Amino acid sequence: MVRIILAIVVIVVSGYSLITQTFELMPYYMFFLGAFMLVTGFVELQEDRKGFWGYMNIVISLFLFFFTYRISYRTNRGVS
């Protein structure tokens, strides 16, 4: 259920950014995409499919969270 909600939020925010050509919502898009990947990774690991993709989803989500923080920090502080 959480994966479906996060997937819908990611699609709506990215679609809005694509149609309007505004990229102010990019940190939010990356945050929700990271949350979606994290939830997907945990679901993969809980379903006893302890393969490569469960761990890879978690690593990718941490990567997205890190860059979401970097983009938000630089945007809010005025640093380029």
Side-chain angles (χ1 to χ4, degrees), residues 43-55:
V43 167
E44 289 286 323
L45 293 178
Q46 281 183 346
E47 291 179 353
D48 291 332
R49 291 187 277 176
K50 295 185 179 6
F52 174 74
W53 291 112
Y55 295 113

Side-chain angles (χ1 to χ4, degrees), residues 55-68:
Y55 295 113
M56 184 57 74
N57 281 334
I58 293 172
V59 169
I60 291 170
S61 71
L62 295 175
F63 179 77
L64 285 169
F65 287 141
F66 173 73
F67 278 102
T68 300

Side-chain angles (χ1 to χ4, degrees), residues 22-80:
T22 59
F23 299 106
E24 291 115 14
L25 297 177
M26 187 64 72
Y28 301 110
Y29 164 71
M30 288 178 62
F31 174 77
F32 285 117
L33 184 62
F36 174 72
M37 297 290 285
L38 185 66
V39 169
T40 302
F42 284 142
V43 167
E44 289 286 323
L45 293 178
Q46 281 183 346
E47 291 179 353
D48 291 332
R49 291 187 277 176
K50 295 185 179 6
F52 174 74
W53 291 112
Y55 295 113
M56 184 57 74
N57 281 334
I58 293 172
V59 169
I60 291 170
S61 71
L62 295 175
F63 179 77
L64 285 169
F65 287 141
F66 173 73
F67 278 102
T68 300
Y69 171 74
R70 296 280 295 178
I71 288 172
S72 297
Y73 178 72
R74 287 182 176 225
T75 302
N76 292 337
R77 301 277 281 158
V79 178
S80 53

